[in-house]
Amino acid sequence: MKKVVTIAGSDSTGGAGIQADLKTFEEYGVFGFSSLTSIVTMDPSAGWQHEVTPIPAKLLEKQLCSVFAGAPMDAMKTGMMGNEQNIAVASSFIQEEKIKNVVIDPVIACKGTAQILQPKSVAGIKRYLLPQAFIVTPNLIEAGILTELGDLTTVSDMKKAARILYSLGARNVVIKGGRRLPESEEAIDLLYDGRNDYLLKGELFETDNNHGAGCTFSAAITAGVAKGYNVYQAVNIAKEFVASAIKHGVTINPYVGHVWHGAYTHAEERMVQIDEK
Ligand code: PXL
């Protein structure tokens, strides 16, 4: 069984973050480990406002010691890191454990909140994580911030940003255009491997039940790489996996709707129903 670890934040509502990662790993049939960097809480009495509470770096270190107790991981994903100390801790484990399949999802802002990570964390991602990334998977906003290009609104902007992220050390760049690319009839993502650009086009779903899509896409890429797919294959399968998850998204409560991580494998049909026995 392939082993995969996610270093990320907790989304108690189960759509994004570490919950999305572990659910996705399970669907791929890889064994999921996790180390929490932060806990995100949402306030229903304040318009579902998000608050990020970081986990102390020492505690992240202890979790990673548990994860790496004598056995290597086949792949690692990083997501929301909480603060720059946690970024440094994750980075030193990547180095010490010589992990090759590292997917960096440079989470800088959550949808539905203006809260952007501290500028120090953005600097930390660039300094520590991008040079260790086998694949980096920013969305358009994150790619714009990391490259200092600002608003990315065209495929040509995405290609420009991908080259900058590659020059910052990431060996493969996947920019998640999703439905944020203006005037596009399709959901377009870009893969750049230092030589070629590949445009991944998919159906654009008219739904608000898409919370967790970004985390799920990156987690699916990570699991695919752990299973031995090459980057192109892993990204394409992940795109199908997340498209299915968005298509079958669920309204969770009056504030948010989530992707359904089990859609691609029809997880809802797997358990025998009690009244069918
Ligand atoms: O989607 C970005 C994201 C990542 N990680 C965690 C989150 C969110 C958004 O809510 O809660 C833990």
Side-chain angles (χ1 to χ4, degrees):
M1 175 92 72
K2 299 294 184 188
K3 299 200 288 300
V4 183
V5 60
T6 169
I7 307 178
S10 165
D11 169 9
S12 317
T13 68
I18 219 144
Q19 289 82 0
D21 296 346
L22 290 174
K23 290 174 186 186
T24 301
F25 295 164
E26 187 88 357
E27 294 307 314
Y28 265 75
V30 300
F31 202 98
F33 292 60
S34 64
S35 295
L36 268 195
T37 59
S38 49
I39 299 177
V40 180
T41 47
M42 296 86 174
D43 187 350
S45 65
W48 204 241
Q49 196 178 321
H50 292 47
E51 189 182 339
V52 179
T53 306
I55 300 281
K58 202 74 207 153
L59 189 49
L60 175 61
E61 208 174 322
K62 283 187 186 178
Q63 295 175 75
L64 285 165
C65 276
S66 319
V67 169
F68 287 101
M73 292 287 131
D74 296 289
M76 171 191 277
K77 178 196 161 187
T78 67
M80 175 183 284
M81 298 305 290
N83 57 32
E84 60 276 21
Q85 291 90 339
N86 284 346
I87 291 172
V89 168
S91 169
S92 66
F93 268 86
I94 296 170
Q95 209 167 350
E96 277 162 30
E97 300 291 336
K98 300 186 175 57
I99 311 159
K100 289 197 193 74
N101 294 327
V102 179
V103 177
I104 303 293
D105 190 21
V107 176
I108 293 174
C110 277
K111 225 177 314 129
T113 170
Q115 189 177 4
I116 302 260
L117 276 188
Q118 299 296 319
K120 272 191 194 157
S121 294
V122 175
I125 291 173
K126 287 167 89 160
R127 176 170 167 206
Y128 292 109
L129 296 182
L130 290 187
Q132 291 176 312
F134 178 49
I135 310 177
V136 67
T137 61
N139 60 30
L140 281 182
I141 295 173
E142 290 154 354
I145 293 171
L146 289 167
T147 57
E148 295 172 25
L149 288 176
D151 280 354
L152 308 181
T153 56
T154 62
V155 168
S156 140
D157 288 347
M158 289 164 83
K159 289 182 179 173
K160 205 192 289 179
R163 277 149 183 79
I164 297 176
L165 292 165
Y166 182 83
S167 74
L168 290 169
R171 273 159 295 141
N172 295 275
V173 179
V174 176
I175 301 184
K176 300 179 282 195
R179 71 172 181 183
R180 289 209 183 93
L181 206 58
E183 292 169 25
S184 172
E185 307 275 298
E186 292 162 306
I188 299 180
D189 305 302
L190 172 75
L191 163 62
Y192 176 65
D193 63 5
R195 267 184 281 170
N196 298 306
D197 290 299
Y198 303 93
L199 279 189
L200 286 74
K201 296 184 178 178
E203 194 182 334
L204 206 54
F205 299 107
E206 275 310 318
T207 174
D208 288 329
N209 292 342
N210 62 0
H211 176 77
C215 300
T216 301
F217 188 26
S218 305
I221 294 172
T222 313
V225 167
K227 291 186 89 159
Y229 293 115
N230 66 36
V231 174
Y232 181 81
Q233 291 168 329
V235 172
N236 276 280
I237 298 168
K239 174 104 174 151
E240 279 181 37
F241 184 93
V242 76
S244 188
I246 296 169
K247 189 172 179 184
H248 297 94
V250 281
T251 304
I252 291 293
N253 61 29
Y255 308 99
V256 69
H258 291 355
V259 299
W260 164 227
H261 313 84
Y264 188 80
T265 64
H266 303 283
E268 67 281 3
E269 294 167 8
R270 275 210 294 266
M271 286 285 284
V272 176
Q273 299 292 318
I274 283 186
D275 54 11
E276 287 173 15
K277 270 204 230 158

